[in-house]
Amino acid sequence: MRIVLVGPPGAGKGTQAVRLSEELRIPHISTGDLFRANISQQTELGKLAKSYMDAGNLVPDEVTIAMAEDRMGQPDAENGFLLDGFPRNVSQAEALDELLENENVTLDAVLDLEVPEDEVVKRIAGRRTCRNKSEHVFHVTYSPPKKEGVCDVCGGELYQRDDDSEGTVRKRLEVYHTQTEPIIDYYKAQGLVVTISALGPVDEITQRALGALKRDEDGN
């Protein structure tokens, strides 16, 4: 299967992407991993991306698209893949369609993980990270430390990272609504969107997603 995974920050895309790729036996292609791999291996695309990042600029779509195209062309992705973080906007979605069309293949589904905005804020703003190098992560509601403000593992101080603050989370949500959410309507017009609730235990969400993808594949 060829799947695009979408959803707001805090929806659990990374966790579900790993689980679904294992269950479906297709590679998980993450934008973050693509950037890290290209930069660490000092590929031409990696050097180009780093030049923009070092200057404090956004990496242009064409660089991201080229990285994705290169990864999707590798042997392990011949029979399918799960894209996580790409496409991030309608322009990238259009470019992806063109890439797939050139290879005479199509997307099978766009899996939309649906989470209420207040729950997203609660999930991310509740994180507490250990200041020590281990950076163990806890959550004030879902996985609280035994002693408030203290890491269970090493005894380090727990703190809220700046990018986990409520204000930052809401700004990230605004960016998602403006830039990424429109791709859901784009793919709905193609009949590809499968929406599931991303609330509940992780295992339950995985099974919900697998069931929805199977029903979609069967045409039911």
Side-chain angles (χ1 to χ4, degrees):
M1 293 187 79
R2 294 174 179 84
I3 304 167
V4 168
L5 187 63
V6 296
K13 293 190 298 298
T15 299
Q16 292 304 323
V18 171
R19 287 167 161 259
L20 292 170
S21 68
E22 290 175 355
E23 290 283 346
L24 298 170
R25 298 182 181 180
I26 53 177
H28 167 210
I29 300 177
S30 156
T31 306
D33 289 345
L34 286 179
F35 274 76
R36 283 187 288 273
N38 276 274
I39 290 172
S40 66
Q41 293 166 17
Q42 296 189 337
T43 67
E44 290 305 312
L45 288 171
K47 292 175 184 176
L48 186 57
K50 191 173 187 299
S51 70
Y52 284 100
M53 295 163 71
D54 288 347
N57 297 320
L58 292 174
V59 177
D61 280 353
E62 54 264 30
V63 177
T64 304
I65 292 163
M67 286 185 184
E69 180 180 16
D70 177 68
R71 180 64 184 87
M72 288 186 293
Q74 294 179 19
D76 66 332
E78 184 177 349
N79 295 317
F81 48 74
L82 190 153
L83 295 174
D84 170 18
F86 175 83
R88 193 174 292 276
N89 54 48
V90 172
S91 294
Q92 291 184 4
E94 291 171 342
L96 175 60
D97 280 352
E98 187 175 336
L99 292 177
L100 296 178
E101 186 178 347
N102 290 339
E103 296 298 323
N104 280 326
V105 296
T106 59
L107 285 177
D108 293 294
V110 175
L111 182 61
D112 173 27
L113 300 183
E114 194 172 63
V115 185
E117 191 160 306
D118 287 346
E119 174 65 17
V120 168
V121 174
K122 182 179 178 181
R123 287 182 181 185
I124 300 178
R127 291 175 185 162
R128 296 296 182 268
T129 304
C130 180
R131 285 194 186 277
N132 289 341
K133 289 183 179 180
S134 59
E135 292 191 337
H136 296 106
V137 179
F138 296 82
H139 194 282
V140 296
T141 303
Y142 303 123
S143 56
K146 294 174 183 176
K147 183 178 180 182
E148 186 177 351
V150 179
C151 176
D152 290 353
V153 181
C154 66
E157 178 193 358
L158 298 179
Y159 76 109
Q160 183 186 55
R161 289 168 37 162
D162 290 342
D163 54 354
D164 286 344
S165 69
E166 181 173 343
T168 302
V169 174
R170 292 199 181 278
K171 286 179 183 176
R172 288 171 63 193
L173 282 166
E174 285 178 20
V175 171
Y176 172 76
H177 292 318
T178 303
Q179 295 185 10
T180 305
E181 203 169 47
I183 74 172
I184 297 175
D185 286 334
Y186 174 82
Y187 284 124
K188 276 183 178 177
Q190 300 179 34
L192 289 172
V193 177
V194 179
T195 301
I196 67 160
S197 169
L199 297 176
V202 171
D203 287 344
E204 187 178 302
I205 296 167
T206 303
Q207 292 307 311
R208 194 180 297 153
L210 289 169
L213 289 169
K214 186 177 189 308
R215 287 193 298 274
D216 184 70
E217 187 178 26
D218 293 341
N220 298 321

